Amino acid sequence: MTRRIHALPSQLVDQIAAGEVVERPASVIKELVENSLDAGASRVEVEVERGGIKRMRVRDDGTGIAREDLALALSRHATSKIATLEDLDGIATLGFRGEALPSIASVSRLTLVSRTPEAENAWRIDGGEETPSPAAHPPGTSVEVRDLFYNVPARRKFLKTEKTEFRHVEQLLRRLALARFDVAFSLRHNGRELFALRRAEERRGREARLATLLGSAFVENSLHLDHAAAGLSLRGWVGLPTFSRSQPDLQHFYVNGRLVRDKLVTHAVRQAYQDVLYHGRHPAYVLYLEIDPRQVDVNVHPTKHEVRFRESRLVHDFIFRTLHQVLADLRPGEQGAGREPAAAVAAPGAVEATSPPVREVGFRQSSLGLPVRESPAAYEASFAWQQPSDRGRMPTPAAEAAGEEVPPLGFALGQLHGVYVLAQNREGLVLVDMHAAHERITYERLKQALQAQGIRSQPLLVPLAVKVSPGEAELAESHQAFMAELGLEVDRIDRETLVVRAIPALLEGADVEQLLRDLLSELAEYGESSRLRAAINEVLATMACHGSVRANRRLTLEEMNALLRDVEATERSGQCNHGRPTWARLTLEELDRLFLRGR
Ligand SMILES: Nc1ncnc2c1ncn2[C@@H]1O[C@H](COP(=O)(O)OP(=O)(O)OP(=O)(O)O)[C@@H](O)[C@H]1O
Ligand SMILES: [Mg+2]
């Protein structure tokens, strides 16, 4: 039997559309708060009852909706935010689909109360009604949503407990509140206030909000950055590598104020941390990317969590390089004991984001200005501090008294249990884990040496044929030079076959086929890949670990001082190759507190 075709009733159409954006109370809150932000609100109050399932209300002091537009706001495809196809090309608001309110109204009991600044009184409309009635409300808008999914039992079944649903609401509002420091936010659940955040224009106020929302440990263990180049800007806070997490739960990324979860972004950040994080650990960050709205497509997914960058490669590169540099600059002289946020790495906007040497992107030079020694025999040289040398003959605490400059990690006092070097600097006591510190120094030197000399390539006795898709084969062809630079020689011999002829000598015995496949899939997705470099670095790290000074080795004071100077001069020296800290500091104040000593 042929089924007849018929148009669906509009209520059902709305309910189907609601399925895309309204999954649970938290998704309603997201839509309503985004509307408030689009309306230029400077304060947003959220009230929730029973996890939001019973009642949610979002109230703002934004521009409001005129009486004659109220019914329209609740009808499908009605929006004040875009009008033409061109508008879709450069969306500057959070919403633009004109679907959120009608969708929510179709699966709940919704009331909209609003007043424009010019109006004498507010007007109210209930979902499904045509004519507004007068109401009392200050300029701004309140949207109340009761009994979510009361008419969609299938959806209601998927709701979790009130407690869980509220946790989602809370988490979401925290994320939204991080997007806009210039807006005050508050949240109440069952009459109890969870938080009330004041507007914060200054960095201190912003960090206070960060501490309230994410915990003070994050603020204490993160670096602040602010960098712009090539029409892009990246600001925010990145956690120190030693503040890594077992879950990717402290990762917040905003593109033009929009909360996104983006694969490209995640990948770029991961890559920047690659060298300084323990395997399987996740970095913590709150980052804001500003980009010309025409360069980013937000019309990818109804919930707008994903975005597409027109110049994805440029964006990836910009994020990676910016963070990589911030992390490389992490040295004793740059910030307190790795705790106080470092001064912003402000930069001029004129430099190309893609210019290769990262140093040129306009970052602050190390305050120490010491270059890391680039010796071809770096591996050997890395042990140089173990022999008394000129570098070892450093000023001593006595020299300090004579008014000489004290280096950030100070001067060595002695060795503790053959594991730690104790040193004195201006602020107090410095403790250095000998092995961890030396390991990082050796590793950075190995990398430098490799860079200076080029990576040695070793021909395979039997070239390895790898079957790939035609697309991958093309990709390999176009990146042949890039791979050869890293010691991987690959030729395409037919439509779907690549042949590996030589590999980096350091990777002898590695699973070459797997490496090539991973490399190609990353190249396809992000336009670049760090797989090969990562694999090489892993080998270097192992070499560094075995080549580094072991515990229980007696060092002379000169050797210790030389080690301290090397730590100061080495990139990423705040942590060893496994992400463990290499040094710590106890200030005199902290010591005084330890001994209950007033000053
Ligand atoms: N809090 C508010 N203050 C002022 N106007 C509002 C508010 N909430 C909604 N509106 C108006 O109602 C319209 C419809 O809102 P709705 O959320 O349904 O669509 P949208 O925000 O335009 O697009 P999207 O579906 O992508 O969210 C908006 O375009 C806006 O003009
Ligand atoms: Mg909206």
Side-chain angles (χ1 to χ4, degrees), residues 31-32 34-39 60 62-65 69 72-75 78-82 94-103 112 114 140-143 302 304:
E31 294 300 332
L32 299 184
E34 288 190 345
N35 279 346
S36 297
L37 296 176
D38 279 345
D60 67 54
T63 53
I65 306 171
D69 283 351
L72 215 47
L74 295 185
S75 59
T79 179
S80 57
K81 300 173 191 176
I82 58 169
L94 297 167
F96 57 88
R97 296 162 44 94
E99 292 215 291
L101 289 183
S103 296
L112 179 57
S114 192
T141 305
S142 283
V143 182
K304 312 176 190 97

